[in-house]
Amino acid sequence: MDFGLVLQTDPPASDVVELMCRAERNGFGYGWTFDSAVLWQEPFVIYSRILEHTERLTVGPMVTNPSTRTWEVTASTFATLNDMYGNRTVCGIGRGDSALRVAGRSPNTLARVGDAIDAIRDLAEGREAVVDGSPMRIPWIKDGRLPVWMAAYGPKALALAGQKADGFILQLADPFLTEWMVHAVRSAAADAGRDPDAITICVAAPAYIGDDLAHAREQCRWFGGMVGNHVADLVSRYGEHSGAIPDSLTEYIARRQGYDYSHHGRAGNPDTAFVPDDIVDRFCLLGPPEAHVEKLRTLRGLGVDQFAVYAMHDAKEATIDAYGRDVIPAVNG
C-alpha cells in the first residue's frame, strides 16, 4: 500500500515543504495539498520547491477543479513540473467545493469535470485536445505523463470516475462505504470497457496516533463536517432515503446548520459540532498504531491502493514519524 500526506498550503510555505520532506523520509510516496486560491497559498508554486527538495515524492492537488484555471494552464503547469523534475505529478480533480464557493461561484457540473479530465490529461501528455471549442496542443511536451484521479461520493460522480479517471479519491475511511463506492467505480469502469483493476483507489482521511481518543476526536471532528458538506449536496440532489446513496452516509447530517469556509479543514471548526463521535471514529483513523494497522489492512483488502493522511491537527510531525516507524512497515511488511 502506498501512503500520502495531505496538507493545506498555509504560510509559511517552507513549513509545507519541510513536512513533505519529513514524509518522504518516513516512507510516504505522495504529497498532496488542498487547492483553494482564496483560502490558502498557491500550491503549484510550492510543488516546485517540494520536488526540488525530495527525490521520489509524487505531488498534486487534492483536489483542483476545471474552473479556477483554464485547462491548458493547468496542463502546462503540470507538464512544466514534470519536465523539470521527472514525471512526479498527479492531478486530483473534482467539481470544486471550497475553491469556488468561497469565491461566490457554484461547483462545476459533472459533464464539465469529465471533459476536463480528458483535455488536461491529453494536453499534459502532448496530445491535442479541444478546450472551449478550440483544438490545441502544447508542442514542447515530450514524454509527459499525468495520471488524473477524480474525487467523488455520489452515484453519478462515482460512475464518471470509473468511466474516465485513472484513479478514484475517496475522502473517508469507513470500510462499509469504501466497499460500496469502490464497487460502484469499478463496475462503471467495466461497463465502459475499461479494466476496473487499472484504476488506482486512494482513501484519504485524518489519522491521529495516540491513546487519548477524546482529544484525537476533537482534532479530527472537522473532517465529518467537510464530508457532511458534500453529503448535503447529495441529499439535495437525490433526497433522503432515496436508495441512491447509503443511509449510513446521510443520517448524521440531520443536525447540520450550515458551513463557514473560513474554517474549512481545520481543527476546532465550529460548524462541526453536529458530527457525532461514531462518525469521527468511522471516517478517520484514531488510536494507537495497532488500530491504524488493523484498519489499513481492512481497507487494503477492499482494494485500496493508497492511504493519504490528512494532517490538519496538532500532531503533524508526531503522526508522520509514527507512521514511518510503526504503521507503514507493519502494513507493508
Side-chain angles (χ1 to χ4, degrees), residues 117-186:
I117 288 173
D118 290 336
I120 291 169
R121 183 199 292 120
D122 284 343
L123 289 170
E125 295 185 347
R127 296 184 295 276
E128 182 178 285
V130 176
V131 179
D132 295 330
S134 298
M136 64 180 67
R137 187 177 71 85
I138 303 175
W140 54 263
I141 295 175
K142 308 296 181 186
D143 302 318
R145 181 178 178 274
L146 182 67
V148 182
W149 299 5
M150 181 180 166
Y153 289 109
K156 292 180 180 178
L158 293 168
L160 181 62
Q163 293 158 5
K164 298 262 189 182
D166 302 299
F168 163 50
I169 298 171
L170 172 57
Q171 291 162 309
L172 55 81
D174 175 71
F176 171 79
L177 292 169
T178 297
E179 183 175 22
W180 183 83
M181 293 186 184
V182 169
H183 175 76
V185 169
R186 288 193 164 147

Side-chain angles (χ1 to χ4, degrees), residues 162-305:
Q163 293 158 5
K164 298 262 189 182
D166 302 299
F168 163 50
I169 298 171
L170 172 57
Q171 291 162 309
L172 55 81
D174 175 71
F176 171 79
L177 292 169
T178 297
E179 183 175 22
W180 183 83
M181 293 186 184
V182 169
H183 175 76
V185 169
R186 288 193 164 147
S187 294
D191 291 344
R194 305 180 69 202
D195 178 1
D197 293 326
I199 298 175
T200 302
I201 306 297
C202 175
V203 161
Y208 198 105
I209 299 276
D211 295 323
D212 188 346
L213 283 178
H215 180 74
R217 286 171 181 144
E218 289 313 308
Q219 287 293 305
C220 298
R221 197 175 303 277
W222 62 266
F223 185 66
M226 188 181 85
V227 174
N229 201 50
H230 295 292
V231 172
D233 277 350
L234 296 177
V235 170
S236 67
R237 189 173 302 120
Y238 296 102
E240 291 188 69
H241 311 299
S242 64
I245 45 179
D247 289 347
S248 58
L249 184 59
T250 62
E251 289 171 347
Y252 83 96
I253 68 165
R255 294 191 295 115
R256 179 180 178 273
Q257 298 297 316
Y259 196 81
D260 181 351
Y261 280 92
S262 66
H263 305 290
H264 187 61
R266 298 187 185 279
N269 187 333
D271 296 322
T272 61
F274 71 93
V275 180
D277 287 351
D278 72 297
I279 286 292
V280 182
D281 293 347
R282 284 170 48 196
F283 286 9
C284 304
L285 275 73
L286 312 175
E290 298 77 24
H292 292 243
V293 171
E294 181 181 3
K295 192 166 187 178
L296 288 166
R297 286 174 174 166
T298 298
L299 292 170
R300 184 175 59 187
L302 298 174
V304 175
D305 301 296

